[in-house]
Each structure stands twice: as structure tokens, then as C-alpha cells.
């Protein structure tokens, strides 16, 4: 019999709950603070932005949170996603490692983002919300929410980071296909956007700025709520369907990973694949190494400070304790737009402090080289963000070759790169460079972190 390449779960075996890692942790993450009083926030503070059901998930201590039936019905369109054994890549690398990837590019938007977009749209619709406003970096999250909005009959407005808006006109068209409105950020539509444009008319934008614009619109309109595509606890929670499926698929494969790898922008796809494995380890099972891979040009986990900071550039959000480069930090305009965020999910940051995860940074050109190597072996073109996970996986596979050890390595292929071919063209033309961030600007941005006594 030929060796299997895909491990497929039947729809009937799709997990019926999301996994919340909070009750399995040795200590809870630090409280979220009100920026004015510096006291822990309560549900009322978040009520202008999110429906109550999502606020409850944000602070939930239940290990399992039921996935609502209508969300499961939509998940069935593409879930369970396949787990692949990368046999051809193993051969190409001549490695004894057993390489696996969970492919989230099979979703209609092309990434893992619909796992939470569909859930967030469902809870907003159930709460009687008419409109959701959001930001998007690479366009993946905006695409996912546009899709979810169409499925639940919600108006969607997306502030898209200017540099991605210019680089990826087809992402815009994709969002518009689903009826969403897409605006380049910084924009003249908001007070904060206008203030940024006054100071820096050719500002390339950042996720932090786009979040401020979206939050401003949501906070000032009764019929509108805000949605975030990463970072928050409930977003990470929704993504855990990835890792839970992977655990069941590894049982089909008769194997278990020694290492779980994901790229990390705000931390949601990494958490989605890694948390269920980490949780199983915390409950006495085998504990694979979990490795988050971030861009060297925006290295919050490896170079940032673990401190209280705003989630956005305009200082409109509560203060969260996370690894941050400072809310004022504007990363260079590299192509993995979904990883250009100054902070990191508080839960991922907390796990890093607890020593439960590792982090490393990779440069853009070495990530594209890995993505091309992967595509030529496996036939799938990864999103530039996912190339960071591919890079670390190939590096670990080569290490196995050097050590003469066969380790099982799982990575999350968080999305395909079909809307990112301009970036690949530039890579092939030799025009991609490894832009370094400005050390002085980073120091300045870190110096501007809010002061929170005792934190
Ligand atoms: C394909 C892909 N992977 C990863 C990310 C990074 O986000 P996160 O760290 O929340 O998974 C993005 C963000 O847009 C993305 O589009």
C-alpha cells in the first residue's frame, strides 16, 4: 500500500467545542486595565465594542465552549481542513523528519481567519447588530469578515492598511464581491485618521492605526460593533478548532508531533494550532515544543518588552499586558502584511513568560525562499505570513538531518498566497530586501509605553 499523504476527518468528527487554555494554565494572565483609572476593566467597558456573548468568552474559565449550530453548519463548507504529510518536501530536503501541515487555505477566504469571522458575525447578528467595522492588514481578515457578513446579512466596513491596499487590489475586489466597503487607512473618514494624515500625508499605515480608526467608528455609532481578527482571547479560542482537528488527525496517522510551529502576527493561528497540544501536555499528556515565528522587521515576541500597552496606535483600546514594540511603532512595509502588528496576543505573551512556548524571528527573503521550496515540492503557494512557519519547519527538518534524528514536526499553513503573487514576482525579480526597523524609533516607541505602577 502506498503511504498516505492526507489525513481527513469526516464532517461528523469535527469538534463541537472550542478549547479554552485558561483553566489549564498554572497562573492566569494579567488583568486588562482601563487606561484612565488603571483598574481592571469590566464587561460594561467593552460593551460599546462587542456583543455580550463575545465579552463573556473573553473572560471565560470554562475549558470547553460549545460551537453554536449555525457556526458548525458554515464551518462544514470547508472544515475539517486536511492534515497533510509533506512527503515530497521530506524527500526534497533528504530529512529523516516527519513533516506535517494543517492546511487552512482551503477556506473560502483562503486562510484561517473565517474560523473566527463566522463565529463573530454569528454572535453579532444574534445580538441585533447591523454593522461591523474592522481593520485588515494583508486583506485576509477583511476578506474573511466580508464573507461572514454576507452569510449572516451584516454590513461590513473594513479599514485596510494603506500599503496592502495599494499592493493588493484584488483583495479589495474580493471584499466588495461580498458587499463590504473597503477604505485605505489612514483615511480622512475618522478624527484619528485625519490627525495621522495631517502629520504624515504619505503614511504607509499599520494595523495599529487601522484598529484606531475602526474602534473610533464603532464607539461612536449605536448600530455598529467592532471585530478584531487576532490578539483577543475569544479570537484565539475560535481558532483552536485547528489544533483539535489536528490531534484527531494525528491519531489517524498513528503519530504525534514533537514540535508545533505557527507564524505569529497577533498570535491567533499559532494559538489555534498550538494551544490544544500545549493544553494536552499541561494535563499530563506529551508536551510538544511550540514555536511562534515572527518577522525580523516587526519582532514583538523576540525584541519587544512585556508591558502594558494599547492595542492600537491612537490609544483608544484598554491596556493589555503583552510583548510590544510600543503602540507608536510603525513597522517597515514588508510583504507579510498580516504580521505587521506592534503587539502580541496577551495569552500568547503570557505563555511565553511561563516558558510554555518559544519564539524566533525570520527575515522576509529567507521566508520567501522557504515558501518557494515548499511550493515546488508540495504544489501549494503559501501566503507570505505562512512562509515564516515554513522557514522554521525547513530549518528544523534540516537540523534533524544533521542530528540524524526523525522528529515529527507539525506546522500551520495558515493561508494560500494566491493574492500575493505580486510579492512573489518581486522576490523573483530580486527586488525584495530585508528591511530593518529603525532602532532609534523603536527605542522612542518603547519610551512612550504607558506607566503602570507595579506592572
Ligand atoms: C495567512 C495569514 N497567516 C497569519 C496571519 C497572522 O495573524 P495571526 O497571528 O492572528 O494568525 C495572517 C493575518 O492576516 C494571515 O493572513
Amino acid at each position: 500500500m502506498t503511504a498516505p499523504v492526507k489525513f481527513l476527518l469526516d464532517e461528523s468528527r469535527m469538534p463541537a467545542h472550542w478549547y479554552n487554555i485558561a483553566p489549564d494554565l498554572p497562573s492566569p494572565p494579567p488583568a486588562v486595565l482601563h487606561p484612565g483609572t488603571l483598574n481592571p476593566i469590566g464587561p460594561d467597558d467593552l460593551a460599546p465594542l462587542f456583543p455580550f456573548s463575545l465579552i463573556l468568552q473573553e473572560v471565560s474559565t470554562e475549558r470547553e465552549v460549545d460551537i453554536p449550530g449555525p457556526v458548525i453548519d458554515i464551518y462544514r463548507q470547508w472544515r475539517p481542513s486536511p492534515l497533510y504529510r509533506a512527503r515530497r518536501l521530506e524527500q526534497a530536503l533528504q530529512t529523516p523528519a516527519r513533516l506535517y501541515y494543517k492546511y487552512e487555505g482551503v477556506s473560502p477566504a483562503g486562510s484561517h481567519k473565517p474560523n473566527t469571522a463566522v463565529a463573530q458575525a454569528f454572535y453579532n447578528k444574534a445580538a441585533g447588530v447591523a454593522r461591523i467595522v474592522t481593520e485588515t492588514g494583508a486583506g485576509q481578515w477583511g476578506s474573511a469578515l466580508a464573507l461572514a457578513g454576507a452569510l449572516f446579512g451584516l454590513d461590513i466596513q473594513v479599514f485596510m492598511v494603506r500599503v496592502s491596499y495599494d499592493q493588493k487590489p484584488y483583495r479589495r475586489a474580493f471584499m466588495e464581491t461580498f458587499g463590504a466597503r473597503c477604505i485605505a487607512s489612514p483615511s480622512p473618514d475618522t478624527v484619528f485618521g485625519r490627525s495621522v494624515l495631517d502629520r504624515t500625508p504619505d503614511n504607509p499605515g499599520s494595523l495599529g492605526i487601522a484598529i484606531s480608526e475602526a474602534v473610533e467608528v464603532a464607539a461612536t455609532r449605536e448600530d455598529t460593533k467592532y471585530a478584531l481578527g487576532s490578539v483577543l482571547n475569544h479570537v484565539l479560542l475560535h481558532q483552536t478548532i485547528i489544533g483539535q482537528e489536528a490531534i484527531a488527525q494525528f491519531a489517524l496517522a498513528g503519530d504525534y508531533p514533537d514540535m508545533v510551529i505557527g507564524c505569529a502576527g497577533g498570535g491567533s493561528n499559532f494559538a489555534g494550532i498550538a494551544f490544544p497540544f500545549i493544553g494536552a501536555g499541561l494535563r499530563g499528556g506529551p508536551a510538544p515544543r511550540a514555536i511562534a515565528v515572527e518577522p525580523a522587521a516587526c519582532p514583538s515576541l523576540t525584541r519587544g518588552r512585556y508591558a502594558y500597552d494599547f492595542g492600537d496606535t491612537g490609544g483608544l483600546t484598554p491596556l493589555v499586558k503583552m510583548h510590544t514594540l510600543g503602540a507608536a511603532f510603525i513597522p517597515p512595509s514588508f510583504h507579510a502584511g498580516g504580521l505587521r502588528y506592534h503587539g502580541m496576543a496577551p495569552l500568547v505573551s503570557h505563555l511565553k513568560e511561563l516558558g510554555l512556548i518559544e519564539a524566533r524571528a525570520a527575515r522576509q527573503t529567507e521566508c520567501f525562499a522557504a515558501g518557494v521550496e515548499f511550493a515546488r515540492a508540495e504544489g501549494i503557494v503559501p501566503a507570505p505570513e505562512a512562509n515564516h512557519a515554513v522557514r522554521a519547519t525547513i530549518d528544523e527538518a534540516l537540523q534533524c538531518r544533521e542530528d540524524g534524528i526523525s522528529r515529527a514536526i507539525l506546522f500551520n499553513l495558515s493561508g494560500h498566497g494566491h493574492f500575493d503573487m505580486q510579492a512573489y514576482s518581486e522576490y523573483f525579480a530580486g527586488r525584495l530586501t530585508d528591511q530593518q526597523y529603525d532602532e532609534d524609533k523603536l527605542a522612542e516607541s518603547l519610551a512612550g509605553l504607558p506607566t503602570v505602577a507595579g506592572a
Side-chain angles (χ1 to χ4, degrees):
M1 210 183 87
T2 46
V5 166
K6 286 197 301 305
F7 299 94
L8 300 173
L9 270 193
D10 189 74
E11 271 178 35
S12 62
R13 293 197 55 204
M14 191 165 75
H17 64 264
W18 294 298
Y19 166 67
N20 180 10
I21 199 168
D24 287 328
L25 292 175
S27 66
V32 176
L33 304 182
H34 189 286
T37 64
L38 299 186
N39 290 325
I41 58 163
D44 289 349
D45 294 307
L46 294 174
L49 297 183
F50 304 106
F52 206 64
S53 42
L54 289 175
I55 297 172
L56 288 181
Q57 288 184 1
E58 199 56 26
V59 295
S60 170
T61 51
E62 298 291 314
R63 183 177 288 129
E64 294 184 353
V65 176
D66 285 345
I67 307 177
V71 174
I72 290 192
D73 285 345
I74 293 175
Y75 277 179
R76 283 205 186 101
Q77 296 276 353
W78 71 94
R79 304 213 70 85
S81 68
L83 176 75
Y84 282 89
R85 172 90 186 257
R87 294 193 188 274
R88 296 175 57 86
L89 182 63
E90 288 170 18
Q91 249 168 28
L93 298 172
Q94 291 289 297
T95 175
R98 296 159 349 256
L99 306 180
Y100 296 87
Y101 56 96
K102 185 81 169 138
Y103 185 37
E104 290 297 306
V106 294
S107 86
S111 77
H112 63 297
K113 298 284 180 181
N115 296 334
T116 182
V118 169
Q120 294 192 49
F122 166 80
Y123 289 115
N124 273 284
K125 184 71 180 181
V129 173
R131 204 158 76 114
I132 304 181
V133 60
T134 195
E135 72 294 320
T136 194
Q140 291 270 21
W141 166 241
S143 298
L145 196 67
L147 161 78
L151 295 173
F152 284 102
L154 289 159
D155 264 5
I156 304 293
Q157 183 174 326
V158 183
F159 287 95
M160 186 170 185
V161 174
R162 160 62 72 184
V163 55
S164 298
Y165 185 91
D166 293 336
Q167 280 167 356
K168 297 189 188 182
Y170 296 133
R171 274 285 169 202
R172 251 148 59 204
F174 186 96
M175 291 180 236
E176 285 163 7
T177 304
F178 289 102
R181 187 166 156 244
C182 181
I183 305 145
S185 166
S187 81
D189 288 27
T190 63
V191 174
F192 184 67
R194 288 193 290 278
S195 76
V196 174
L197 288 172
D198 282 350
R199 273 178 279 127
T200 48
D202 53 2
N203 192 303
S206 69
L207 276 171
I209 293 173
I211 293 172
S212 296
E213 293 205 84
V215 167
E216 181 185 319
V217 172
T220 48
R221 285 190 58 141
E222 198 55 43
D223 63 344
T224 303
K225 296 279 186 215
Y226 168 68
L228 189 61
S230 189
V231 178
L232 297 176
N233 297 348
H234 67 265
V235 180
L236 274 51
L237 175 80
H238 300 154
Q239 294 296 353
T240 58
I241 190 150
I242 304 172
Q244 290 190 86
E245 284 178 3
I247 287 176
Q249 288 162 311
F250 266 92
L252 294 180
D255 206 347
Y256 204 77
D258 297 300
M259 231 177 270
V260 181
I261 296 174
C263 69
S268 75
N269 89 88
F270 167 71
I273 195 153
F275 281 10
F277 286 98
I278 296 171
L282 289 168
R283 295 192 305 279
R289 283 171 65 195
I291 305 170
V293 192
E294 61 183 6
C298 189
S300 55
L301 271 174
T302 52
R303 289 292 315 279
R305 197 171 293 164
Y306 186 53
Y308 273 101
D309 196 6
F310 291 100
D312 69 320
T313 308
L316 302 177
T317 68
L319 292 174
V320 291
K321 194 154 187 190
M322 61 179 175
H323 289 91
T324 178
L325 300 163
F329 181 79
I330 305 288
S333 307
F334 55 92
H335 272 282
L339 306 184
R340 292 181 70 244
Y341 183 57
H342 67 272
M344 182 52 61
L347 259 181
V348 171
S349 296
H350 183 54
L351 265 73
K352 169 97 182 335
E353 290 302 297
L354 291 172
L356 293 172
I357 65 164
E358 303 164 36
R360 65 179 70 160
R363 286 172 287 112
Q364 135 160 297
T365 50
E366 62 178 353
C367 291
F368 272 93
V372 170
E373 198 169 1
F374 177 85
R376 289 180 186 172
E378 294 291 315
I380 298 173
V381 180
E385 291 83 4
N387 281 342
H388 290 70
V390 180
R391 176 73 271 159
T393 302
I394 291 180
D395 289 347
E396 290 297 333
L398 294 176
Q399 189 62 49
C400 287
R401 185 173 79 187
E402 213 175 298
D403 299 344
I405 293 176
S406 169
R407 298 187 185 94
I409 304 174
L410 165 66
F411 81 92
N412 196 26
L413 185 50
S414 53
H416 66 64
H418 298 177
F419 288 88
D420 302 282
M421 297 320 293
Q422 182 61 32
Y424 278 88
S425 295
E426 285 172 32
Y427 172 70
F428 294 127
R431 283 198 297 270
L432 275 200
T433 54
D434 291 322
Q435 295 178 48
Q436 216 355 314
Y437 57 84
D438 184 324
E439 289 283 357
D440 291 342
K441 288 232 164 75
L442 173 60
E444 210 176 284
S445 166
L446 287 173
L449 284 173
T451 313
V452 178

